[in-house]
Amino acid sequence: MENSTQIQFIETYGQEGPIGIIDVDTAVQFPINFAVGDIKDPFAKKGVKSYKFSIVGSKETNQLLNHYYDINIVDGTYNNNLKQKVAILRNGVIILDNAYMQLLSIKKQSHDVYSDQQIIYEIEVGDDVTSFFTKITNKYLDELDFQDMNHTYNATNVIDSFPYSAVRDNVLGTGGYKYVLAWTDLSKYQLEECRPAISVYEYWNRIHQNAGYQWDWKNFDGDEIRMDKLWIPYNGDVPKISDQLSYQVAAERTTDQSFLGPIPTAGAIVSVAPTQIILDSEVIDFFNQYDPVTGIYTSNVNTGASAIDVYFKVEYDIELNNPTGGNAYFISAIGLPTSTATLNYKPYCQMLNTTTGIVSANGTFEDVGVIITTPSAAYTLPSGTTTIKSNTIITPVIPVTGVSFMDDLITRVGMLASVTGFTGTGLTAVNWRNALFGGSGVAVRPTLVIKNIEMILIPRVDVYGYNTEVLMNDFVPRKIKQSDFIKSIVNMYNLVIVPDATNDRRIIYKTRDEYYDVGTEKDWTDKIATDKGSDISFISNTNAKKITLSYKPDTDVVNKDYLAETKEVYGQLEYELQNENIKGLEMKEIIFSPTPIDNTPFGTYAPMYAGKFPKCNIRILIDGGEQPTGLGGTQTYDIVNYQIGSVDYGVTGIDTYPMLTHQDNPNTPLFDINFGLCDKYYHDFTSVTNNNLYSMFWRRTIGQVDNGKLFTAYFYLNEYDISILKLSDKIFVKDTWYNINSLQYDPNSFGPTKVVLMTIDDELAIDIIKPRPGLPLSGTLTVAVLSELIYSGLNWNYADSSVVIQGTGNVVTGDIKNVLVVGNNRIVDSSNTVYSENVVADNIILNGTDLQDVFNAVLINATINVPSADVLNLGTTPYLLIDSPGAGYFIQVLTASCKVNFNTTAYATSTTLYINTDTANIQQHNLIDTLNTTLTRIGVSSQQVTSVSDTQLISDKAIYLTSAGVDPTAGDSDIVIYLSYKIIQE
């Protein structure tokens, strides 16, 4: 039908294909916004969504909507949680597929009192992305279920988790979680300092699954993304066990067992002493704490100020045995008492801690006062065995306190006997006798018969300890919305979120650069509505002067220290736009807070927070794998499961650890989940990396904000143009290529469509890189060898050797050496090369100076740490200081000095150091007796003089550090070599 707009219902309640159509009146405004984001606010991610619009109810429309939204027209109610899958058609062409329609309101109106009421439905339509985020908006991370990762809490399982992958394998029972070892100044961890982290992958996957969606993020596990290496450590207070019933033990005994009192003398009243009863059948015992053979319960908790609660249900008999052959009387030697006397038998259960000897309170059954003698009548017990009481009773709770880990408890039963009321003394004392007056005492013996007994033990302890079951749901960050979690990962990687055209339940994630780079080229020059006018403006006009990409500040000691010292958040990146007509600061934060790291005494890198109870904002770390501890695994540490007295029990001599920090390797990183370089680091390192979130995922976007323009115009787009539109399309208008920033299409409008285009980024817009970071709090900063000019101008330099740049917008790739760049916007990927916009190969002159002379004049400074273990081998194994500069170039070392960081023992035997060119027969510099020191000191070298037969500087050779002929001995100090050198062309 010409000029028609329709909403087609599809695939609901298991039905396939179209199941209903609503015609949208052509008079109704029906604008649909198409956007994946807004360059004016790069952190804001968008989907395709319509404005609210109205549909007038017809008979068919009323029936269709009533069927799917449970509408009650009379009172105007409906199910506002339902979303119906629809497609939007214009003149029979699908312009929006796999969309969802939501009913927002129902209105009834009539033109006059004589007319029937007309029904007006207010509607909104959005794509899969919008629907997905709507579903998870009010969901929290702690609503996800991680029970499949539950495990037993002990040092062995902590260590076993170190190599676990991010993906849960429920067949093997591994993966999805791993333990984080926070920073400590000791060489051992208490078990309670080790807390599990859950992988970002499992959070991400379960959020999508619970919402009924699949996800597709190609290369999420590749080296350029590494989402599968991200982990969320525990961030709460001391974790509480949410399900204490999982630690309960239940046992029973169903066969009779009799417990006899002692044989009394002279008619005495006797009790049944407490005696162990073995409940020989387990009912519940998840952790094998109860032994039904021995009746011993072994505690897996320390109760502290709390207790283990014990409950009993007991079926019992009380028997009295009169062995005389005649009656026995409860009476005194001189006859009946002057007032009533009662003999009470009180059965009880109790728990004995056999480790400490402490007995619990008694769980008494009741006072059995069936033996009563009054002033007028005595209680008479016939000869033989008489059952005076049969009953079933549930005891009050018995709190067993003062229990330590591995204490043994046993169950005991007994029975107390006592006389109340008239008791008498001497001849008037009431007891068992064989006559109503006078006579002699009778040995009446009591017996407690346990016919059936059930016991339940529940530790009233909510703190995790050795061999308790770790309930992983207790280690999920609280009060974090699932939508905020997804958006923060999206914003870390600057992802674009798009629906899958072939599957309405699958969301596709791509990095912003990947998304736009593969866009289809389309020419819209002939579609522009020239009569409507257009507008060109700088994107930066709508932004603040400074844009900061940052983690969320936190209040822990280390983050507060960093903020106070640097006035920045750890790992942030601040970009200042070139536009001089704007001002202000705009902070773009993710929900995670940063985690500085430091070195431990046993040579590991560890996150700086309290492992036992971090009490911090949610964190995110990247896994560098299971790594050896310091000095190749020779510096070890322990994990203590528990202590008995002053003795530790656990795993000792551990020589590996999980390296979870902000970098894949804090010493020589290649991947950093900070946005930018930090002003200082707390840990020792050899080099830093610019492969961070900004440079890898945000550089081009921010460059587009800084340099790009917005072109707002109207275009004549028909339904076919919209049906084939992808928001990644590259649009050519007149003489310029653009990306689509936003587009608002109204299928009921016959006029042109408003489109906001943005100029395509040139892929080279580079921010000023920060200066080198400051020193760590302890140790020596060693940075990869860099030109002093590396940070001047708007250039991006990944090289780790001599590079001279004069210009802006240049990108120098890794492993580049001996390069001179003159000009702008060059990609430098070859060593030993001069890059220039106008190259005169044989004679390049810059400001009157030969460029080769400029290159030769560059002085390079280097700082190299040499560990003690390598110093001890310098006589036989030279230590590399500077790589070979390549063919045609040699290295001249101008100055050298050595710092000895004295430890405990001086070096001996060979204490002079040489700085040599590889294969040369004479050294460039000597550091005479520099190792022969008992103090920390710095010594300066002397330059070696050569003779006519010496070779000292050799082309294409590296520089090494050696000792004088043989290995040094005895010493244990690290040293630092400081060099100033030139690379000279032959």
Side-chain angles (χ1 to χ4, degrees):
M1 185 171 69
E2 190 68 24
N3 296 328
S4 69
T5 301
Q6 297 173 311
I7 302 174
Q8 177 178 289
F9 283 47
I10 50 178
E11 291 183 19
T12 300
Y13 301 131
Q15 301 182 48
E16 298 287 338
I19 56 176
I21 290 179
I22 295 177
D23 291 312
V24 181
D25 193 303
T26 55
V28 173
Q29 290 186 339
F30 186 8
I32 304 174
N33 285 330
F34 292 81
V36 293
D38 188 347
I39 190 62
K40 293 178 288 186
D41 184 7
F43 259 44
K45 307 301 179 180
K46 299 176 181 287
V48 177
K49 191 173 184 179
S50 74
Y51 286 99
K52 300 173 184 176
F53 63 96
S54 298
I55 296 175
V56 177
S58 63
K59 180 179 179 181
E60 294 78 11
T61 299
N62 292 341
Q63 289 177 344
L64 188 62
L65 294 180
N66 178 57
H67 179 65
Y68 294 113
Y69 292 96
D70 301 328
I71 295 172
N72 186 323
I73 296 297
V74 176
D75 59 14
T77 60
Y78 62 97
N79 188 338
N80 63 347
N81 293 318
L82 290 176
K83 288 194 173 186
Q84 169 61 38
K85 184 180 177 183
V86 298
I88 310 300
L89 289 80
R90 173 64 177 168
N91 296 332
V93 177
I94 296 176
I95 60 172
L96 182 59
D97 200 2
N98 290 331
Y100 286 85
M101 185 178 84
Q102 185 171 14
L103 179 58
L104 301 178
S105 67
I106 302 173
K107 299 177 182 178
K108 294 178 286 187
Q109 64 181 29
S110 57
H111 299 291
D112 52 59
V113 296
Y114 303 104
S115 305
D116 291 334
Q117 287 187 316
Q118 190 176 48
I119 309 300
I120 307 295
Y121 302 97
E122 194 171 57
I123 301 294
E124 187 177 71
V125 172
D127 66 3
D128 301 333
V129 174
T130 303
S131 178
F132 168 66
F133 277 99
T134 300
K135 280 197 170 191
I136 66 173
T137 292
N138 294 315
K139 300 284 188 181
Y140 289 83
L141 290 185
D142 56 6
E143 296 179 53
L144 301 171
D145 187 9
F146 296 96
Q147 289 185 78
D148 56 310
M149 298 184 190
N150 291 356
H151 58 280
T152 303
Y153 195 31
N154 56 50
T156 299
N157 284 341
V158 169
I159 297 166
D160 286 347
S161 77
F162 292 171
Y164 280 1
S165 74
V167 182
R168 181 64 180 169
D169 186 332
N170 283 317
V171 176
L172 296 177
T174 61
Y177 77 89
K178 75 167 56 189
Y179 277 81
V180 181
L181 302 184
W183 183 84
T184 179
D185 57 356
L186 303 175
S187 290
K188 68 178 177 181
Y189 291 93
Q190 300 299 320
L191 179 63
E192 292 78 9
E193 294 178 287
C194 309
R195 302 300 189 191
I198 298 175
S199 68
V200 166
Y201 174 90
E202 286 297 335
Y203 280 111
W204 181 275
N205 198 45
R206 295 181 195 216
I207 289 171
H208 286 80
Q209 286 181 346
N210 286 6
Y213 282 82
Q214 301 171 16
W215 58 278
D216 182 352
W217 181 358
K218 286 184 170 46
N219 297 323
F220 76 92
D221 54 353
D223 287 344
E224 67 277 16
I225 301 291
R226 308 193 194 197
M227 185 270 268
D228 65 320
K229 301 296 184 185
L230 299 180
W231 296 81
I232 306 298
Y234 177 67
N235 71 314
D237 204 338
V238 177
K240 304 294 185 181
I241 300 172
S242 58
D243 183 11
Q244 289 176 280
L245 291 179
S246 65
Y247 299 99
Q248 70 175 315
V249 169
E252 65 180 355
R253 182 185 182 95
T254 58
T255 56
D256 291 4
Q257 186 171 356
S258 296
F259 299 86
L260 281 66
I263 299 174
T265 58
I269 306 301
V270 297
S271 299
V272 176
T275 306
Q276 181 184 10
I277 182 171
I278 296 176
L279 285 69
D280 55 10
S281 177
E282 286 182 291
V283 178
I284 300 173
D285 188 6
F286 294 117
F287 300 104
N288 297 317
Q289 295 171 255
Y290 184 76
D291 186 341
V293 176
T294 63
I296 295 175
Y297 168 87
T298 302
S299 174
N300 65 350
V301 298
N302 292 299
T303 59
S306 191
I308 298 174
D309 289 338
V310 185
Y311 303 82
F312 289 100
K313 179 180 180 181
V314 186
E315 180 185 352
Y316 67 93
D317 290 345
I318 299 175
E319 297 177 349
L320 297 179
N321 180 260
N322 173 7
T324 63
N327 291 336
Y329 304 96
F330 182 53
I331 200 168
S332 72
I334 59 174
L336 294 169
T338 58
S339 61
T340 300
T342 302
L343 175 54
N344 300 289
Y345 287 101
K346 184 185 292 185
Y348 61 85
C349 293
Q350 64 179 209
M351 302 300 294
L352 169 65
N353 187 329
T354 61
T355 305
T356 64
I358 297 174
V359 179
S360 73
N362 291 337
T364 55
F365 301 174
E366 60 181 327
D367 287 337
V368 184
V370 295
I371 311 298
I372 299 173
T373 293
T374 69
S376 59
Y379 181 88
T380 302
L381 180 68
S383 177
T385 298
T386 301
T387 299
I388 64 170
K389 183 73 172 181
S390 295
N391 200 7
T392 299
I393 191 77
I394 297 176
T395 68
V397 62
I398 304 173
V400 183
T401 58
V403 180
S404 298
F405 177 75
M406 297 299 287
D407 281 1
D408 289 336
L409 306 180
I410 62 171
T411 305
R412 301 199 303 186
V413 296
M415 186 165 61
L416 295 173
S418 63
V419 178
T420 59
F422 183 87
T423 57
T425 58
L427 294 176
T428 64
V430 180
N431 51 31
W432 291 108
R433 306 191 70 79
N434 60 3
L436 289 172
F437 188 87
S440 59
V442 176
V444 174
R445 190 177 188 184
T447 300
L448 174 63
V449 181
I450 303 298
K451 304 182 75 62
N452 188 299
I453 181 170
E454 301 173 19
M455 174 182 69
I456 298 176
L457 299 95
I458 302 176
R460 193 174 2 114
V461 179
D462 57 3
V463 179
Y464 284 97
Y466 174 64
N467 269 359
T468 53
E469 183 186 20
V470 176
L471 308 178
M472 289 299 292
N473 290 340
D474 291 342
F475 292 87
V476 177
R478 301 297 189 253
K479 298 181 180 179
I480 301 295
K481 286 188 173 183
Q482 296 179 17
S483 56
D484 291 338
F485 182 88
I486 294 292
K487 289 175 183 176
S488 285
I489 301 299
V490 165
N491 283 330
M492 285 175 65
Y493 290 99
N494 195 11
L495 300 178
V496 172
I497 314 170
V498 293
D500 188 335
T502 64
N503 185 342
D504 66 307
R505 288 288 170 169
R506 183 161 57 213
I507 306 295
I508 297 174
Y509 296 88
K510 294 184 177 182
T511 62
R512 174 262 184 204
D513 296 346
E514 176 193 8
Y515 178 74
Y516 283 118
D517 287 348
V518 298
T520 302
E521 296 180 355
K522 295 178 180 177
D523 189 345
W524 282 8
T525 301
D526 294 336
K527 295 180 179 292
I528 192 168
T530 55
D531 59 323
K532 297 286 288 184
S534 60
D535 177 73
I536 296 178
S537 62
F538 285 100
I539 298 173
S540 60
N541 285 340
T542 62
N543 286 86
K545 177 68 172 175
K546 295 180 179 179
I547 299 174
T548 300
L549 306 179
S550 177
Y551 282 81
K552 187 179 183 66
D554 208 352
T555 57
D556 59 285
V557 173
V558 182
N559 273 304
K560 287 172 66 176
D561 167 79
Y562 185 89
L563 182 63
E565 183 174 339
T566 66
K567 305 299 185 290
E568 293 184 353
V569 176
Y570 188 88
Q572 78 169 49
L573 185 287
E574 184 178 281
Y575 186 101
E576 183 171 346
L577 303 182
Q578 299 178 64
N579 191 331
E580 297 297 334
N581 300 313
I582 56 177
K583 60 184 179 179
L585 172 66
E586 188 172 7
M587 180 76 74
K588 300 295 185 182
E589 285 181 355
I590 55 178
I591 63 171
F592 308 110
S593 290
T595 307
I597 60 172
D598 201 358
N599 305 95
T600 66
F602 44 94
T604 69
Y605 293 93
M608 298 174 72
Y609 59 73
K612 186 174 183 179
F613 42 88
K615 294 179 66 175
C616 60
N617 185 42
I618 185 172
R619 303 296 179 88
I620 189 168
L621 303 172
I622 188 168
D623 184 12
E626 183 179 11
Q627 298 295 334
T629 54
L631 299 180
T634 60
Q635 295 177 307
T636 62
Y637 64 98
D638 306 334
I639 298 179
V640 179
N641 282 323
Y642 59 91
Q643 292 177 308
I644 297 179
S646 60
V647 180
D648 294 336
Y649 294 87
V651 179
T652 60
I654 306 167
D655 58 7
T656 65
Y657 75 105
M659 190 161 64
L660 292 158
T661 66
H662 268 217
Q663 298 147 328
D664 64 329
N665 183 335
N667 184 44
T668 54
L670 297 175
F671 192 95
D672 189 350
I673 60 170
N674 287 318
F675 283 100
L677 292 173
C678 298
D679 286 347
K680 77 169 186 178
Y681 295 95
Y682 294 82
H683 63 280
D684 297 334
F685 57 92
T686 299
S687 63
V688 295
T689 181
N690 287 319
N691 292 332
N692 48 46
L693 298 181
Y694 168 77
S695 67
M696 292 186 293
F697 307 110
W698 280 96
R699 177 178 59 85
R700 288 171 55 184
T701 299
I702 299 300
Q704 193 174 33
V705 171
D706 195 7
N707 303 304
K709 299 180 181 66
L710 290 177
F711 176 46
T712 304
Y714 289 81
F715 294 84
Y716 287 104
L717 304 176
N718 57 34
E719 55 269 22
Y720 176 73
D721 293 322
I722 300 300
S723 71
I724 63 172
L725 177 73
K726 290 188 182 344
L727 293 171
S728 59
D729 289 345
K730 297 177 181 178
I731 307 301
F732 183 78
V733 181
K734 296 182 179 178
D735 57 359
T736 305
W737 286 100
Y738 299 92
N739 293 129
I740 298 171
N741 187 58
S742 64
L743 180 153
Q744 187 182 103
Y745 177 75
D746 186 345
N748 276 349
S749 172
F750 298 101
T753 294
K754 182 180 179 180
V755 182
V756 180
L757 301 173
M758 53 188 174
T759 51
I760 292 178
D761 70 87
D762 61 6
E763 303 184 18
L764 292 175
I766 312 297
D767 179 31
I768 297 175
I769 303 174
K770 283 187 175 183
R772 297 175 184 176
L775 289 171
L777 293 185
S778 62
T780 302
L781 171 68
T782 303
V783 182
V785 180
L786 299 172
S787 163
E788 293 302 313
L789 300 178
I790 189 169
Y791 295 116
S792 62
L794 294 169
N795 297 290
W796 198 255
N797 187 354
Y798 292 99
D800 63 355
S801 191
S802 53
V803 175
V804 178
I805 303 175
Q806 298 195 16
T808 62
N810 299 289
V811 178
V812 182
T813 60
D815 298 325
I816 296 301
K817 303 174 184 177
N818 311 327
V819 168
L820 177 63
V821 182
V822 181
N824 305 318
N825 303 325
R826 305 298 300 266
I827 296 178
V828 179
D829 54 9
S830 296
S831 296
N832 307 316
T833 306
V834 175
Y835 287 79
S836 176
E837 293 175 345
N838 298 293
V839 176
V840 180
D842 296 328
N843 186 22
I844 304 173
I845 304 298
L846 178 66
N847 294 330
T849 303
D850 187 284
L851 284 186
Q852 185 59 55
D853 294 337
V854 173
F855 187 77
N856 290 345
V858 174
L859 182 65
I860 304 169
N861 297 317
T863 302
I864 304 98
N865 281 333
V866 184
S868 173
D870 292 307
V871 174
L872 292 169
N873 295 320
L874 284 175
T876 54
T877 307
Y879 193 88
L880 177 66
L881 297 178
I882 309 171
D883 278 327
S884 163
Y889 295 86
F890 61 86
I891 298 170
Q892 180 183 4
V893 178
L894 301 178
T895 65
S897 55
C898 174
K899 178 182 180 182
V900 178
N901 292 309
F902 186 74
N903 188 13
T904 63
T905 306
Y907 291 100
T909 305
S910 182
T911 59
T912 294
L913 299 180
Y914 298 149
I915 295 174
N916 289 351
T917 303
D918 187 22
T919 71
N921 66 5
I922 193 168
Q923 60 270 19
Q924 292 197 38
H925 285 262
N926 301 329
L927 289 153
I928 299 173
D929 285 335
T930 192
L931 296 181
N932 185 20
T933 179
T934 57
L935 299 171
T936 295
R937 71 174 188 180
I938 299 178
V940 179
S941 71
S942 59
Q943 198 162 10
Q944 180 67 37
V945 178
T946 63
S947 66
V948 293
S949 61
D950 291 332
T951 56
Q952 190 178 47
L953 306 182
I954 305 175
S955 174
D956 195 19
K957 295 296 182 181
I959 302 297
Y960 285 89
L961 178 70
T962 66
S963 63
V966 296
D967 290 336
T969 59
D972 62 357
S973 302
D974 295 341
I975 67 172
V976 184
I977 301 296
Y978 303 96
L979 301 178
S980 293
Y981 66 96
K982 291 182 179 181
I983 298 176
I984 301 174
Q985 186 177 26
E986 287 187 304

